[in-house]
Each structure stands twice: as C-alpha cells, then as structure tokens.
Amino acid sequence: MKLREETAADIPLIRALITRAFAPMPFSSQTEAAIVDALRDRGKLSVSLIAEDEGNVVGHVAFSPVAIDGADLGWYGLGPIAVAPEWQGQGIGRALMDAGLALGARGCVLLGDPAFYSRFGFQADAKLTLPGVPAEYFQAATFSGDTPSGEVTYDEGFSAS
Ligand SMILES: CC(C)(COP(=O)(O)OP(=O)(O)OC[C@H]1O[C@@H](n2cnc3c(N)ncnc32)[C@H](O)[C@@H]1OP(=O)(O)O)[C@@H](O)C(=O)NCCC(=O)NCCS
C-alpha cells in the first residue's frame, strides 16, 4: 500500500471508492463523490491523496481552501476522507490524515465525529464557526501562527449533488 497524489486515471476509482465508503453511513448526504468532482472542476482540490494497493484505490482524502470571514488565511478544509470498507481499521485513514496534514497548511477545519478526529489534534474551537452544524462536530487544528477568529466558508463545490 502506498500513498500518492491522484492522477487523471484515478478519478473514476476515487469516485467509486468514496461512494462505497459513505453508502452505509447514516449521516452521509451521499454527495461526497460529487463534491470531490466539483472541487476538482473548480480548481479547488488543493490536495487529493490516494492510498493505492496493487492498482486499486483503497483510500482517499481531499483538502480544499476555506475562507475565514471571507479571507484566505492559508487554512484548508479536510474532507471528505474515505477508506474502502474491507480496508478500514488498518491505519489507512490515519496515514492519509498524517500525510495530508504534513503538506503545509496553517490550519485545517473539518466536520466529523470528534471521537475519531480528536486523536489528530482537532477540537471544536469557539473562535471558528460554521453556521448550521452542531458546534462539537466542527473542529479545527492550528499548525502555524495563532488560530484566527471568524465564520468559515467552504468552497461552493461542497454544494454539489
Ligand atoms: C473514517 C475512516 C476514513 C477511517 O479510516 P480507517 O482506515 O478505518 O482508520 P484507521 O484504521 O487509520 O483508524 C485510525 C484510528 O481511528 C479509529 N477509528 C476509525 N474509525 C473510527 C470512527 N468512525 N470513530 C471513532 N474512531 C474511529 C481507529 O480505531 C484508529 O484508532 P487507533 O489508532 O487508536 O487504533 C473510514 O472508517 C471510512 O472511510 N469511513 C466511511 C466514510 C466516513 O465516515 N468518512 C469520515 C466522515 S467524517
């Protein structure tokens, strides 16, 4: 299993993987694959890392820029992240997170289960808000400088369906 940036040939495999990984998740809008496509089309898929095993895409994570009170402060949104069901629980999610977070963002936000993401240094922070979601699920990690304050806006690609 190795991690690398996506190539054009991976795109259909990424789409299929994300669809399969999120299919059983009750919280899922089932739009995650469309979101990654939309981010890519809009030039906002800053990092698209895959985990590959013998030509199969078994894991994927996307990072895209977010605005904070409308400003680009070098912060990114992490997600969606997906590991193929039969490969889950073997450290691939952790490896994708670690590799993506090492790529030089000042900070990252994400929406997800605190039980999973707290181990990567993410926590809810009252300074950074995302309207319309339960505050404890919106988490941030700061990698350099101070944590900014403001309302976070994801790229429009997240409205894709
Ligand atoms: C979430 C997901 C990406 C994790 O990938 P993974 O390869 O199974 O994760 P890892 O094996 O690297 O696990 C990392 C750690 O998180 C834990 N973990 C994994 N999934 C978890 C979950 N849903 N809740 C809490 N902890 C979880 C593991 O036990 C492991 O802990 P450990 O290092 O102490 O042993 C994967 O389960 C997945 O694709 N799920 C479906 C899609 C999804 O829910 N994506 C996230 C949306 S917020």
Side-chain angles (χ1 to χ4, degrees), residues 5-6 14 18 22 32-33 35-37 39-40 44-50 59-65 76-82 96-97 100-101 103 108-110 154 158:
E5 274 282 346
E6 71 165 36
I14 292 171
I18 296 174
F22 278 95
E32 292 83 1
I35 288 170
V36 171
D37 285 340
L39 291 170
R40 186 184 297 107
K44 297 297 170 67
L45 190 54
S46 311
V47 176
S48 180
L49 274 184
I50 66 162
H60 176 260
V61 66
F63 290 81
S64 58
Y76 290 84
L78 187 158
I81 179 169
L96 287 167
M97 294 273 299
L101 296 176
L103 290 175
C108 259
V109 291
L110 57 79
Y154 280 86
F158 278 85

Side-chain angles (χ1 to χ4, degrees), residues 21-22 25 27 80-85 87-95 111-113 115-117 119-120:
F22 278 95
M25 309 313 280
F27 60 80
I81 179 169
V83 173
W87 285 85
Q88 290 174 11
Q90 299 176 48
I92 295 174
R94 170 178 291 279
L111 194 56
D113 185 350
F116 179 58
Y117 293 106
R119 73 194 68 221
F120 300 102

